[in-house]
């Protein structure tokens, strides 16, 4: 019944362009691809794939992970949890297994938001349910990898992440394409539920190819005392990326923190936003983005809406133009109640010469000085993030930074 | 040895320094006085090699080499270092990283920082949110790690609280090998003769003179070196009658 209704709404939105970003012609991509067999060990993957996945933070040895989900094109090829209290199930299977899950499916994101959401419903390939059971402490990160194997493929996934009451869950998702993939599109729907006093950290590293278009559609709801920590890293060339996740803090004392590290390359356009709505008392939000560009366009948006007295929020958009390109910072603050404390800080420019000279007077060459400054610029310390995840972020950033400079 | 010959410097087409002649021999420390805007910082920045300070005439020699047109880092590698009055803050770059890089040896960093009462700041972003006094300690720490043959100090004591001024004064004294105690079995005379480090220190308040001795005092007035004599004498004179007298007294060449 509900599915039929969703389908109808999706069909009506099949040609609805998104409010932001280049309009992608989805019909020019393949919707079929070979069905890949399930594997019982990520170590069996071809070495080349493992290397690509590693760049996106995916550990195919699986030693430092509490569970893994891997999807190749449309096929879930691996899905297993190794820690009690953690559940990892392909979404199609999960929707069959759990009656209650339907209430979490297309609950935070309207299916008819745009043509990408419509596709993700009408041509759902798969995705995952990852869930930490009440009180479970999943401190070793769980990982999920969305991999495009077929050139020209249009990957549509739907993910639901639930951190049940009092649980703690850390996740890393790596999205990557095989080396032979030049072109593709990835539509990823993600709905996050952070229940009372739960803590969810979600770190996403994108490692696509030069002609891949990416349209994530995510939303999150955080209940009383909950924490949602979202990190997004896209340092590799990608043709077009547009996303604007929405997070609602609905319970007292809920906290959301967003960190993005973005790199623009010639010919690429990244439009990355984030809206947090502070709906309950004592809620707090922080949105931090750091962008560097070598010729691409980056639009870094941040949007805080304070609806209750006493809530606090801070936005920080900093951009550095290294060699050409455009960076646009769009910070927005809206208060609809008295006593809302929200602020923003935006700065866009090139590396300050004064800083370069300062380091040169300590003996570094001009290039070494610039490298140290950019490394520092991208060195955002994320409180509450487990060390291995911080290391994955640092590695992804450092690899790309050295390639760019 | 630093030799500056008939130096003339422009910044944004404005002449800042004229006919500067200066010689700092190995082991010597000179104190540079002068009212605000007289060109003291410009002289230090020119010696360090900041390209916006355009040398329109004259030469700078360091250890027998003409360095007038060398870049900042080339000068740093030849042994010139600077303690800035207002260094830039660099987000994400840790003080420790820079000090380690200056020292070329991470092991001595903690020990040096402890001496300057600065250990708590090593893991902070360089100069971000530092107070005036903290900046001075951070600058000095970097120089102590770098150990330049010629150290340029731009008001090393300004903004430093009383508790730390002795720490700073004594550390500069040691960096410039000005110590007056017989060490390592050497007599004071031998110590003095074995000094090689050179210093050029800008001071406004003169407090630093309570801690270090210097060989020569100089007054820079309106872009010209107007007076050279005993630094304590200059300081006392400035304190009692101000800078005008310095020029009027006829020391001006």
């Amino acid at each position: 019944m509900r599915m039929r209704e969703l389908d109808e709404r999706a069909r009506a939105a099949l040609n609805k362009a998104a409010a932001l970003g280049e309009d992608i012609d989805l019909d020019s991509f393949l919707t079929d691809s070979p069905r890949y067999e399930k594997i019982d060990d990520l170590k069996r993957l071809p070495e080349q794939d493992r290397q690509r996945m590693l760049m996106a933070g995916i550990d195919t040895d699986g030693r430092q992970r509490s569970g893994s989900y891997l999807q190749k094109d449309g096929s879930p090829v691996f899905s297993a949890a190794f820690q009690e209290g953690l559940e990892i199930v392909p979404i199609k299977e999960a929707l069959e297994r759990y009656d209650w899950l339907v209430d979490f499916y297309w609950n935070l994101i309207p299916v008819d938001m745009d043509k990408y959401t419509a596709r993700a419903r009408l041509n759902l390939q798969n995705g995952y349910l990852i869930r930490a059971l009440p009180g479970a402490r999943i401190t070793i990160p769980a990982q999920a990898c969305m991999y495009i194997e077929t050139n020209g493929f249009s990957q549509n996934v739907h993910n639901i992440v639930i951190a049940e009451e009092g649980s703690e869950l850390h996740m890393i998702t790596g999205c990557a394409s095989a080396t032979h993939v030049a072109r593709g599109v990835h539509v990823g729907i993600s709905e996050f539920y952070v229940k009372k006093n739960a803590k969810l950290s979600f770190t996403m590293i994108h490692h696509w190819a030069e002609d891949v278009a990416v349209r994530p559609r995510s939303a999150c709801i955080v209940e009383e005392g909950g924490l949602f920590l979202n990190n997004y890293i896209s340092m590799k060339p990608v043709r077009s990326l547009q996303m604007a996740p929405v997070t609602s803090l609905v319970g007292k004392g809920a906290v959301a923190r967003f960190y993005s590290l973005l790199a623009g390359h010639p010919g690429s356009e990244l439009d990355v936003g984030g809206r947090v709505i502070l709906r309950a008392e004592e809620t707090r939000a922080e949105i931090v983005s750091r962008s560097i560009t070598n010729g691409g366009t980056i639009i870094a948006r941040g949007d805080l809406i304070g609806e209750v007295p006493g809530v606090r929020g801070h936005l920080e958009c900093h951009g550095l133009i290294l060699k050409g390109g455009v960076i646009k910072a769009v910070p927005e603050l809206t208060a609809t109640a008295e006593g809302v404390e929200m602020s923003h800080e935006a700065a866009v420019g090139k590396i300050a010469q004064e800083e370069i000279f300062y380091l040169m007077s300590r003996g570094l060459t001009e290039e070494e000085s610039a490298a140290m400054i950019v490394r520092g610029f991208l060195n955002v310390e994320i409180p509450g993030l487990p060390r291995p995840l911080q290391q994955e972020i640092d590695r992804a950033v450092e690899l790309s930074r050295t390639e760019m400079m | 040895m630093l030799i500056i010959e008939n130096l003339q410097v422009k910044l944004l087409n404005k002449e800042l320094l004229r006919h500067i002649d200066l010689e700092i021999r190995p082991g010597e420390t000179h104190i540079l006085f002068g009212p605000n805007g007289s060109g003291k910082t410009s002289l230090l920045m020119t010696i360090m090699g900041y390209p916006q300070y355009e040398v329109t005439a004259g030469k700078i020699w360091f250890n027998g080499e003409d360095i007038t047109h060398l870049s900042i880092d080339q000068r740093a590698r030849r042994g010139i270092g600077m303690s800035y009055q207002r260094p830039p803050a660099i987000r994400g770059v840790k003080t420790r990283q820079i000090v380690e890089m200056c020292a070329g040896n991470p092991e001595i960093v903690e020990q040096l920082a402890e001496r300057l009462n600065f250990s708590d700041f090593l893991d902070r972003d360089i100069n971000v949110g530092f107070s005036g006094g903290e900046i001075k300690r951070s600058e000095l720490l970097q120089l102590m790690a770098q150990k330049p043959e010629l150290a340029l100090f731009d008001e090393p004591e300004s903004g430093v609280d009383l508790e730390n001024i002795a720490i700073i004064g004594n550390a500069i004294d040691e960096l410039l090998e000005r110590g007056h105690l017989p060490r390592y079995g050497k007599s004071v005379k031998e110590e003095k003769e074995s000094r090689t480090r050179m210093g050029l220190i800008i001071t406004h308040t003169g407090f630093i003179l309570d801690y270090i001795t210097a060989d020569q005092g100089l007054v820079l007035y309106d872009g010209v070196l107007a007076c050279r004599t005993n630094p304590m004498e200059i300081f006392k004179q400035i304190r009692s009658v101000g800078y005008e007298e310095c020029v009027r007294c006829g020391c001006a060449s």
Side-chain angles (χ1 to χ4, degrees):
Chain A
M1 178 62 194
R2 168 125 203 280
M3 296 299 185
R4 257 214 315 273
E5 184 215 315
L6 286 172
D7 286 347
E8 266 169 43
R9 284 170 55 202
R11 264 192 291 274
L14 261 178
N15 293 311
K16 185 175 165 188
L20 300 169
E22 181 197 347
D23 192 31
I24 309 293
D25 177 11
L26 293 173
D27 293 329
S28 67
F29 293 88
L30 303 171
T31 49
D32 284 324
S33 84
R35 208 164 242 299
Y36 300 98
E37 289 303 315
K38 282 201 161 46
I39 52 173
D40 55 8
D41 190 342
L42 291 176
K43 289 200 274 291
R44 302 254 162 83
L45 288 164
E47 188 52 35
Q48 222 177 21
D49 290 357
R50 295 178 65 181
Q51 282 305 319
R52 290 289 288 183
M53 290 175 193
L54 190 65
M55 304 286 186
I58 297 302
D59 172 12
T60 46
D61 284 333
R63 261 178 270 136
Q64 289 193 57
R65 302 290 185 254
S66 53
S68 299
Y69 175 83
L70 168 63
Q71 179 168 332
K72 250 186 181 184
D73 290 345
S75 315
V77 296
F78 187 85
S79 135
F82 308 117
Q83 194 178 332
E84 207 170 319
L86 175 68
E87 216 176 347
I88 302 182
V89 188
I91 197 78
K92 282 188 167 173
E93 194 182 321
L95 282 165
E96 278 169 27
R97 195 190 294 179
Y98 298 120
D99 294 340
W100 52 264
L101 190 59
V102 73
D103 294 335
F104 292 76
Y105 180 68
W106 292 112
N107 174 45
L108 302 179
I109 302 163
V111 70
D112 51 5
M113 184 161 114
D114 54 36
K115 64 204 243 186
Y116 311 107
T117 54
R119 282 288 175 135
R121 169 60 208 146
L122 296 172
N123 181 23
L124 175 66
Q125 292 151 355
N126 227 312
Y128 55 77
L129 163 69
I130 294 187
R131 181 175 171 229
L133 297 180
R137 299 239 167 256
I138 315 297
T139 48
I140 300 170
Q143 65 182 359
C145 177
M146 299 298 172
Y147 198 68
I148 297 185
E149 172 72 30
T150 304
N151 192 27
F153 189 65
S154 149
Q155 188 177 50
N156 305 320
V157 303
H158 196 129
N159 309 315
I160 296 177
V161 178
I162 305 173
E164 296 283 5
E165 191 170 324
S167 69
E168 178 173 347
L169 172 60
H170 298 276
M171 277 187 66
I172 180 162
T173 58
C175 296
S177 45
T179 39
H180 57 265
V181 170
R183 188 167 174 274
V185 59
H186 170 88
V187 174
I189 311 299
S190 301
E191 298 182 272
F192 299 96
Y193 297 86
V194 181
K195 299 296 187 76
K196 192 173 168 185
N197 296 325
K199 175 178 176 183
L200 170 63
S201 89
F202 185 82
T203 298
M204 181 153 79
I205 301 180
H206 275 178
H207 195 92
W208 298 110
E210 268 168 42
D211 198 12
V212 173
V214 186
R215 291 292 180 271
R217 296 290 177 256
S218 348
C220 178
I221 189 161
V222 187
E223 295 181 4
E224 185 180 334
L227 167 69
F228 181 47
L229 177 58
N230 185 305
N231 309 308
Y232 177 61
I233 292 91
S234 178
M235 299 289 296
K236 298 299 288 183
V238 56
R239 189 182 90 214
S240 167
L241 163 77
Q242 186 272 320
M243 64 189 223
V246 179
T247 298
S248 299
L249 304 178
V250 299
K252 184 177 174 180
V255 177
R257 295 206 304 261
F258 279 75
Y259 298 87
S260 323
L261 301 174
L262 309 171
H265 299 263
S268 71
E269 182 173 313
L270 279 66
D271 185 334
V272 176
R275 169 182 289 173
V276 181
I277 311 167
L278 298 99
R279 292 212 158 118
E281 53 182 332
E282 293 175 29
T283 52
R284 281 182 291 132
E286 184 183 27
I287 300 178
V288 175
S289 84
R290 296 272 190 278
S291 314
I292 58 173
T293 183
N294 240 354
T297 297
I298 298 178
I299 305 170
R301 301 173 196 272
D303 184 4
L304 295 176
I305 302 175
E307 299 184 343
V308 183
V311 299
R312 283 188 290 142
H314 184 66
L315 266 178
E316 199 182 294
C317 305
H318 288 187
L320 267 189
I321 294 183
L322 300 180
K323 262 185 282 172
V326 176
I327 296 181
K328 181 171 169 178
V330 191
E332 284 182 79
L333 303 175
T334 311
T336 62
E338 282 170 37
V340 165
E341 256 182 72
M342 296 194 299
S343 55
H344 80 71
E345 193 186 319
V348 172
K350 61 176 181 138
I351 302 176
Q353 191 124 63
E354 192 198 7
E355 296 174 15
I356 291 189
F357 289 160
Y358 183 58
L359 296 178
M360 285 171 76
S361 72
R362 303 297 184 225
L364 292 186
T365 63
E366 192 170 350
E367 293 72 31
E368 288 165 343
S369 303
M372 191 175 208
I373 293 163
V374 173
R375 203 181 303 133
F377 178 81
L378 294 170
N379 177 20
V380 177
E381 282 158 52
I382 302 166
L385 193 68
R387 222 181 122 60
L389 292 186
Q390 181 76 52
Q391 284 168 343
E392 294 295 356
I393 292 177
D394 294 346
R395 196 171 52 151
V397 168
E398 192 52 20
L399 269 174
S400 311
R401 189 197 60 75
T402 39
E403 280 169 25
M404 282 177 84
M405 297 188 72
Chain B
M1 176 145 98
L2 177 79
I3 299 172
I4 295 179
E5 285 175 349
N6 191 28
L7 188 73
Q8 206 157 306
V9 174
K10 269 187 183 173
L11 175 69
L12 300 170
N13 269 326
K14 191 180 166 235
E15 196 162 80
L16 295 177
L17 300 171
R18 286 172 291 146
H19 309 301
I20 304 284
D21 289 305
L22 176 64
E23 197 175 305
I24 302 178
R25 281 188 286 266
E28 281 184 2
T29 287
H30 294 208
I31 306 288
L32 186 58
F33 298 94
N36 285 330
S38 60
K40 302 186 297 293
T41 298
S42 303
L43 178 58
L44 261 54
M45 298 296 253
T46 307
I47 298 171
M48 194 67 242
Y50 274 69
Q52 57 267 52
Y53 295 88
E54 187 195 345
V55 176
T56 51
K59 287 218 179 301
I60 305 173
W61 300 83
F62 187 61
N63 291 341
E65 183 185 9
D66 178 359
I67 61 161
T68 319
H69 299 290
L70 291 190
S71 64
I72 299 176
D73 56 317
Q74 286 168 329
R75 296 183 203 210
R77 282 195 292 269
R78 280 163 176 73
I80 301 178
M82 175 144 171
S83 158
Y84 294 79
Q85 199 189 358
R86 287 189 197 85
I90 310 178
R91 272 187 199 283
V93 175
K94 303 294 170 209
T95 306
R96 180 189 300 278
Q97 268 175 279
I98 299 193
V99 180
E100 281 179 3
M101 181 257 290
C102 288
N105 171 14
E107 281 161 32
I108 64 165
V109 171
E110 294 284 347
Q111 190 198 337
L112 287 178
E114 223 163 274
R115 293 232 342 253
L116 289 173
N117 198 6
F118 209 63
S119 307
D120 294 347
F121 293 84
L122 283 176
D123 292 311
R124 282 184 45 183
D125 291 356
I126 186 88
N127 301 327
V128 175
F130 285 11
S131 72
E134 286 156 7
I135 281 179
K136 296 303 143 72
R137 279 186 282 154
S138 153
E139 288 296 297
L140 187 53
L141 176 59
Q142 294 172 55
L143 279 194
M144 284 167 72
Q146 202 177 346
K147 290 194 183 144
E149 234 179 296
L150 168 64
L152 309 168
F153 289 92
D154 195 348
E155 297 200 26
E157 81 277 47
S158 72
V160 178
D161 52 32
L162 286 173
E163 192 189 341
N164 284 304
I165 191 131
I167 293 179
I168 290 225
N170 292 328
I172 295 177
D173 188 76
E174 190 186 317
L175 182 65
L176 296 175
E177 302 169 327
R178 306 299 297 181
H180 296 278
L181 294 170
R183 285 185 309 177
Y184 314 120
K186 282 186 191 169
S187 71
V188 171
K189 181 169 180 280
E190 283 166 340
E191 271 279 300
K192 210 170 153 180
E193 281 166 1
S194 65
R195 266 182 212 159
T196 54
R197 300 275 180 78
M198 294 166 268
L200 180 57
I201 305 175
I202 296 178
T203 179
H204 223 57
T205 62
F207 289 152
I208 205 74
L209 299 175
D210 292 344
Y211 299 93
I212 56 169
T213 60
D215 303 286
Q216 174 90 273
L218 309 155
V219 176
L220 190 63
Y221 193 91
D222 200 17
V224 177
L225 277 177
C227 185
R228 329 163 179 246
T229 182
N230 179 308
M232 278 318 280
E233 197 179 323
I234 296 180
F235 181 56
K236 282 190 170 163
Q237 188 186 320
I238 295 164
R239 208 160 43 176
S240 45
V241 290
Y243 282 108
E244 295 292 337
E245 194 58 28
C246 247
V247 180
R248 208 167 62 109
C249 82
C251 296
S253 42

